[in-house]
């Protein structure tokens, strides 16, 4: 009797951030220099309150589907979004088997939370960091209502503020970071959102767990923000766009390619780079 064949494990794990790396809100498109008649066609990949929220170009959608079905690769969306926010996104191609949400706090397997992984994360945060309640209270006390629009608790793991950037003092994020660092927390400013995240809560730890489970020997990564730094450093090769927190700081590393492109067109550039780094089909 013929035995069923065992699926070949992927040789490469592709862990990529989503917002402002592969998918873009209307405010982040950066198409002001493109004549209307030459603007790329866009595909909505997220709806929120019955309105399109995030987009990819039509060309990027085709590249995304090709990456998601590449036989030698396992595509793992790796995002700071909460599970609810991530599950609103409909990426081109088949649904990813694994996804990492809440900056590594949740590992989704076929759309469901891996509770063992989440328990491990909770223990690490309890051992090494000031509690979320203390940090959230400081954020509320230190933020000025003149520029604070919203405050949010992200699944009891970290906090973020939605701010009016033009009114917020440029020095405030650094002051907050200086206060947070001795308490085991980091600060990241991405667009209108300012994140306070426990230092052990990392994308790279969750990616390493997926690589261990799947046997992937190589990790490719892409991201644009300070919260992607550990992911990019842990990867074998990485890419970051010409916009975002890392680009503004001039950050790179020997194995990380700093792309010049900005906005949604750079999403295409990143996808082409990831596909080009994979072995041919």
């Amino acid at each position: 009797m013929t035995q069923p064949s065992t699926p070949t494990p992927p040789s490469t794990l592709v862990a990529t951030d989503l917002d402002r790396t592969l998918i873009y809100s209307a405010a982040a498109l950066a198409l002001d220099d493109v004549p209307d008649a030459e603007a790329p066609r866009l595909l909505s990949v997220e709806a929120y309150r019955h309105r399109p929220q995030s987009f990819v170009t039509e060309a990027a959608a085709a590249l995304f589907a090709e990456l998601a079905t590449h036989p030698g690769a396992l595509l793992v969306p790796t995002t700071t979004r909460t599970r609810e926010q991530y599950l609103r996104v409909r990426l081109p191609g088949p649904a990813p088997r694994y996804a990492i949400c809440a900056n590594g706090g949740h590992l989704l397997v076929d759309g469901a939370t891996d509770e063992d992984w989440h328990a491990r994360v909770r223990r690490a945060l309890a051992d090494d960091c000031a509690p979320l309640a203390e940090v959230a209270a400081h954020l509320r006390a230190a933020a000025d209502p003149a520029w604070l629009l919203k405050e949010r608790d992200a699944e009891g793991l970290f906090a973020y503020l939605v701010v009016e950037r033009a009114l917020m003092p440029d020095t405030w994020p650094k002051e907050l970071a200086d206060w947070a660092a001795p308490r085991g927390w980091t600060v990241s400013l991405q667009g209108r959102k300012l994140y306070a995240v426990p230092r052990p809560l990392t994308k790279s730890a969750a990616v390493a767990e997926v690589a261990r489970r799947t046997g992937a020997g190589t990790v490719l990564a892409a991201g644009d923000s300070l919260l992607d730094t550990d992911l990019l450093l842990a990867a074998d090769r990485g890419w970051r766009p010409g916009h975002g927190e890392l680009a503004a700081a001039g950050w790179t590393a020997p194995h990380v390619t700093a792309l010049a492109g900005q906005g949604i067109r750079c999403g295409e550039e990143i996808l082409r780079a990831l596909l080009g780094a994979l072995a041919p089909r």
Side-chain angles (χ1 to χ4, degrees):
M1 181 177 177
T2 302
Q3 296 294 320
S5 60
T6 302
T8 304
S11 59
T12 303
L13 191 158
V14 180
T16 177
D17 177 51
L18 293 179
D19 294 278
R20 293 172 59 89
T21 298
L22 294 188
I23 70 175
Y24 291 79
S25 69
L29 297 177
L31 294 174
D32 291 346
D33 61 335
V34 180
D36 289 343
E38 300 173 17
R41 292 176 59 169
L42 303 182
L43 172 69
S44 172
V45 294
E46 178 190 13
Y48 180 58
R49 294 181 177 174
H50 312 293
R51 294 185 178 183
Q53 183 79 8
S54 298
F55 305 86
V56 297
T57 67
E58 199 171 55
L63 294 168
F64 209 116
E66 182 179 353
L67 182 60
T69 58
H70 196 290
L74 177 69
L75 178 61
V76 181
T78 306
T79 179
T80 304
R81 285 176 174 242
T82 64
R83 289 171 294 174
E84 179 183 0
Q85 292 167 339
Y86 167 71
L87 292 171
R88 292 200 305 253
V89 179
R90 295 292 181 263
L91 299 171
R97 174 79 197 282
Y98 293 95
I100 293 164
C101 298
N103 215 63
H106 287 287
L107 173 58
L108 303 189
V109 184
D110 295 325
T113 296
D114 184 310
E115 297 295 350
D116 289 341
W117 171 257
H118 184 60
R120 285 170 55 183
V121 170
R122 288 283 188 186
R123 288 193 294 270
L125 301 190
D127 289 345
D128 298 334
C129 306
L132 173 61
E134 176 184 339
V135 175
H138 180 80
L139 289 175
R140 285 192 295 272
D144 189 332
W147 46 259
L148 175 62
L149 302 178
K150 299 176 185 175
E151 54 180 293
R152 292 290 184 265
D153 175 320
E155 303 203 63
L157 292 166
F158 61 93
Y160 66 92
L161 307 179
V162 181
V163 302
E164 187 63 63
R165 286 284 297 270
L167 299 178
M168 184 182 71
D170 292 339
T171 58
W172 197 79
K174 184 181 184 307
E175 292 169 1
L176 177 62
D178 290 343
W179 177 89
R183 293 163 175 83
W185 287 66
T186 61
V187 172
S188 173
L189 180 61
Q190 302 176 39
R192 296 196 309 155
K193 292 183 178 179
L194 186 141
Y195 293 88
V197 179
R199 191 175 293 118
L201 188 66
T202 64
K203 294 179 176 182
S204 59
V207 168
E209 175 65 12
V210 177
R212 183 191 68 79
R213 295 185 188 190
T214 60
T218 301
V219 174
L220 306 180
D224 71 293
S225 80
L226 179 64
L227 295 176
D228 296 311
T229 307
D230 67 286
L231 173 65
L232 292 167
L233 288 175
D236 295 284
R237 291 184 66 184
W239 291 263
R240 63 107 170 132
H243 60 256
E245 223 175 6
L246 297 180
W251 182 92
T252 189
H255 65 288
V256 176
T257 300
L259 300 173
Q262 298 188 18
I264 196 167
R265 289 170 295 177
C266 195
E268 289 183 25
E269 193 176 355
I270 290 169
L271 287 163
R272 289 192 180 96
L274 291 168
L275 283 164
L278 296 171
R281 286 178 180 269

